[in-house]
Amino acid sequence: MLLAEQTLAGLRLRGQQVRVAVSVFADEVRRRSAVGLGAVDSRALLTVLHCLPVDIPVPLSSLDAYALRTLRTAPTGVVDQEDVQGSFVRRLVSAARVELVLVHGSQGISPREWDSAVRDASQFAPFSARGVVLSHPVSERALHNPDSPRDPDFDLLLLKARFFGVGVAAQGPAGLSWLLEPAPYRPLRHSAAQWLFHEQAWRQLGPDWS
């Protein structure tokens, strides 16, 4: 399966330069734009917001002092405070979601870097599907034909990548294609840390990205 390279963006996430595929939620982007709100990547604020329902008033009396202080300093467009009812209403939802992270290096991952690249990609497991891009040419025919000569290092790479759920892609004449597709992203739970990750990506992309 070919990867649409024109839909991949280069970002720096968790200390690594990576390429990502992102879904953008246009309604939230327009809402934020209307009030002059960009990315919200305050861990403290997102942690409080993550515990609140969307568009439902939450009485001030049900919030502790820390949550109240945090919400009262939130930028415009994050929450509304309804003084009459004495409540906060969370308005903020995700503007974008990272669907796939590719660890690729400057020219693709060379054979001597394969092992470390799989480990680097694995750190994105809590946030999205993930993969590595190889510089070493390996054809799909060689991958799927048992009679073709096999590189033992490549076989070990596939074994490790499959174990960690990491996809393996290669650059070919037609573009990037999967040699091993990544495991589907199925989070065991949703957390403020995941939300923060997507907001950090959105801060780099900005509202004009599509």
Side-chain angles (χ1 to χ4, degrees):
M1 181 183 75
L2 285 176
L3 287 165
E5 291 184 77
Q6 67 273 17
T7 66
L8 298 175
L11 302 179
R12 188 165 185 81
L13 295 170
R14 297 181 67 81
Q16 292 192 69
Q17 191 66 35
V18 296
R19 296 170 73 185
V20 300
V22 179
S23 291
V24 175
F25 305 115
D27 288 348
E28 175 65 2
V29 172
R30 285 193 294 268
R31 189 194 71 81
R32 293 191 189 194
S33 180
V35 295
L37 180 64
V40 178
D41 53 6
S42 163
R43 182 183 295 272
L45 179 55
L46 294 179
T47 299
V48 173
L49 291 172
H50 186 258
C51 299
L52 303 182
V54 180
D55 295 333
I56 297 176
V58 176
L60 303 185
S61 58
S62 68
L63 300 170
D64 62 26
Y66 174 79
L68 288 172
R69 286 197 306 271
T70 303
L71 293 174
R72 283 172 175 148
T73 60
T76 300
V78 172
V79 292
D80 292 336
Q81 184 170 359
E82 299 183 349
D83 292 327
V84 175
Q85 299 181 359
S87 61
F88 276 111
V89 183
R90 171 184 154 192
R91 302 300 185 191
L92 193 79
V93 296
S94 293
R97 182 177 62 232
V98 177
E99 306 286 1
L100 171 69
V101 175
L102 290 175
V103 175
H104 62 91
S106 58
Q107 300 294 327
I109 306 299
S110 66
R112 62 185 176 83
E113 301 170 313
W114 284 350
D115 190 61
S116 61
V118 170
R119 292 197 303 271
D120 289 343
S122 295
Q123 72 167 299
F124 295 100
F127 310 109
S128 71
R130 58 271 180 212
V132 298
V133 179
L134 307 184
S135 62
H136 189 58
V138 181
S139 70
E140 289 217 34
R141 181 177 179 182
L143 179 64
H144 297 295
N145 184 351
D147 296 326
S148 298
R150 298 294 292 263
D151 180 344
D153 289 336
F154 178 66
D155 285 343
L156 182 59
L157 165 69
L158 292 182
L159 183 65
K160 290 182 177 179
R162 187 175 287 109
F163 178 80
F164 289 108
V166 174
V168 178
Q171 184 77 49
L176 286 176
S177 62
W178 289 119
L179 303 175
L180 173 68
E181 294 202 20
Y185 175 62
R186 296 191 179 98
L188 297 177
R189 64 186 182 92
H190 295 283
S191 68
Q194 292 164 335
W195 193 359
L196 175 63
F197 177 80
H198 300 306
E199 290 289 331
Q200 289 170 338
W202 182 240
R203 179 170 294 283
Q204 296 176 64
L205 291 168
D208 296 328
W209 189 87
S210 61

